[in-house]
Amino acid sequence: AQSVTQPDARVTVSEGASLQLRCKYSSSVTPYLFWYVQYPRQGLQLLLKYYSGDPVVQGVNGFEAEFSKSNSSFHLRKASVHWSDSAVYFCAVSNNAGAKLTFGGGTRLTVRP
Amino acid sequence: EAAVTQSPRNKVAVTGGKVTLSCNQTNNHNNMYWYRQDTGHGLRLIHYSYGAGSTEKGDIPDGYKASRPSQENFSLILELATPSQTSVYFCASGDGGASAETLYFGSGTRLTVL
């Protein structure tokens, strides 16, 4: 069984500030981890994914995430946010045993100008 | 041009009525998925398909059927719609990557069952 928890339903930051969105996962086997973003009135788009190697993965638009096996976490970070980063961010997990993606509940990010 | 297209964009149905949500993809992906999105639940998998003629049950298949008549098309069918099926439905195609498949989503269908 696998699951994902995003403990923060809403996050508000000021433009130019740094950002961390939290994600905790549970998986009985090696996890594959993803962050997707949903802009208003659109479908989800992949930001980045991790499946092996360097625990810090780079994504689009300056986002990165760090895999921590000891903490069962895959937090998303950005050094300086822009107002256009306002969106809903979803963490998701699958595994190498063929399990389909399981999504967290999402974090709605609002960036104040 | 969008590679995954859903129709209709919005739908209002009556309880007990039949609803068909359509999805077309031009990615030539074998895998296709139907999810529903509800506040606080994220996306939950309803049905998926590995190719034309194949459909598989996801995590919440009750009350839904799926049809994959071709590589490009994947439909979700609600034979007897209920108000609890009011939601936003997303279709996606998957690139079937051996490591960490990436999904490509449509823009969603907002379904309201009265």
Side-chain angles (χ1 to χ4, degrees):
Chain A
Q2 56 189 30
S3 65
V4 176
T5 301
Q6 294 180 246
D8 304 309
R10 294 178 181 270
V11 170
T12 300
V13 297
S14 296
E15 193 167 25
S18 63
L19 172 71
Q20 176 172 279
L21 301 183
R22 296 185 292 163
C23 172
K24 299 278 286 186
Y25 70 89
S26 172
S27 176
S28 58
V29 296
T30 303
Y32 297 157
L33 295 157
F34 305 76
W35 277 98
Y36 281 83
V37 60
Q38 183 181 29
Y39 297 105
R41 295 173 297 283
Q42 296 185 28
L44 282 70
Q45 305 169 32
L46 181 70
L47 268 182
L48 49 79
K49 62 183 176 183
Y50 170 82
Y51 53 90
S52 67
D54 189 335
V56 178
V57 291
Q58 304 296 320
V60 298
N61 296 334
F63 285 95
E64 67 175 29
E66 183 168 6
F67 167 66
S68 172
K69 186 174 182 179
S70 61
N71 293 323
S72 297
S73 67
F74 189 56
H75 300 331
L76 182 70
R77 303 188 297 238
K78 187 171 184 179
S80 177
V81 296
H82 187 264
W83 65 266
S84 60
D85 293 324
S86 296
V88 182
Y89 292 79
F90 290 95
C91 184
V93 63
S94 65
N95 62 49
N96 60 2
K100 300 306 174 186
L101 269 185
T102 298
F103 286 86
T107 297
R108 181 175 297 277
L109 172 67
T110 300
V111 179
R112 292 189 301 244
Chain B
E1 47 292 308
V4 180
T5 306
Q6 295 182 232
S7 61
R9 192 65 189 264
N10 295 282
K11 173 74 176 178
V12 178
V14 296
T15 299
K18 182 177 180 179
V19 177
T20 300
L21 307 183
S22 299
C23 178
N24 176 275
Q25 58 112 350
T26 58
N27 295 321
N28 197 31
H29 290 158
N30 289 331
N31 300 342
M32 294 188 75
Y33 303 84
W34 276 106
Y35 289 87
R36 63 177 285 175
Q37 182 181 29
D38 303 288
T39 303
H41 288 283
L43 277 75
R44 292 180 289 174
L45 181 62
I46 306 170
H47 283 289
Y48 59 99
S49 169
Y50 291 123
S54 121
T55 61
E56 307 288 339
K57 293 181 179 179
D59 298 323
I60 54 163
D62 293 346
Y64 302 94
K65 289 173 53 179
S67 174
R68 182 87 182 269
S70 65
Q71 177 83 338
E72 297 80 17
N73 295 295
F74 190 38
S75 297
L76 186 68
I77 303 152
L78 292 67
E79 295 278 6
L80 295 170
T82 69
S84 65
Q85 294 174 313
T86 293
S87 186
V88 180
Y89 292 84
F90 286 97
C91 175
S93 70
D95 62 10
S99 299
E101 177 182 50
T102 296
L103 299 189
Y104 299 82
F105 285 84
S107 298
T109 294
R110 183 175 296 275
L111 173 65
T112 302
V113 182
L114 302 176

